[in-house]
Amino acid sequence: MEETPKRVTRRRVRTRARLLDAAFEVFAAKGFGRVSIEEICEAAGFSRGAFYSNFATLDELFFALYRERADLIASQVADALAQEGPDLDVPASVDRVTEVLLLDVDWLLVKTDFLVHAARDPAVARALLDHRARLREAIADRLLRARGHTELPVVLGGVDGAAHAVVAAYDGVTTQLLLDRDIEAARGWLRQLLTALLTGGGRTPVSTDTAQL
C-alpha cells in the first residue's frame, strides 16, 4: 500500500519532465504565442489530460521552463565562483564562469520570447524579475564572501552593482549571439567584458555596503 504513491509520484515527475522537454523544442522552433497545448502534447506523446494534471496554462508551463534553465545558470555561476575558496581571483573565476555558462541559441530564443511576453504582463514580469534577482544574488554573495581581498571598480557601487553589471553583460553578449550564432566568439567577448568590468581602474575593496538598484 505504501509503494503506490511513490510509483504515481515518479510517473508524474517523468510526465512533467517530458512535457517541459517537448515544450522547449516546440517553443524554440515556433516561438511562444504560436504554439498550442495540443502541439506540446503531441510532441510529448501525451494527452491534454496529462498536460492539465501538471500545468494550468501555457503561461505556467512556460514559466516552469524558464525557472528550470534560470536555476541551472545560477547554479553554474555559483559553482564556478565557489571554487576559489575564501579569496577570489577575478580573472580565473571569469574564465571558469564563461567556460561552463549555458550559451545555447535555442534557450536564448525561448528566453527572449518569455521576456517579451513578460513585458506585456505585469504579473509575469514580477515573477521574471524575482528569478533574475536570484542569479544576481548568487554572484553578489560570492563577491561578498571574498572578504575584502577582491577590489571592484568604484563606479559599480559595491557587490550588488557588480552583480547587476555581470548580468547586463551576459544579456548584451547573448543578444549578439542570437544574431551571429558564434558561441566561441560570445564566450571570448563575455570573458573580456566581465574581466574589464570587475578589474577596472579606480577600485575600492569589496564591503558589505551594497548598491540600491
Side-chain angles (χ1 to χ4, degrees), residues 94-130:
V94 167
D95 283 345
R96 276 194 292 274
V97 168
T98 53
E99 283 303 314
V100 303
L101 194 61
L102 180 66
L103 291 175
D104 176 73
V105 172
D106 283 345
W107 158 240
L108 296 175
L109 287 169
V110 173
K111 186 185 80 163
T112 301
D113 273 346
F114 190 75
L115 177 63
V116 172
H117 175 60
R120 294 189 172 95
D121 187 324
V124 178
R126 285 192 297 273
L128 178 56
L129 287 170
D130 287 343

Side-chain angles (χ1 to χ4, degrees), residues 18-27 35-47:
R18 180 56 195 146
L19 284 167
L20 288 171
D21 288 344
F24 178 80
E25 295 171 5
V26 177
F27 284 141
V35 174
S36 67
I37 290 174
E38 287 79 7
E39 287 174 293
I40 292 173
C41 291
E42 182 178 355
F46 294 128
S47 66

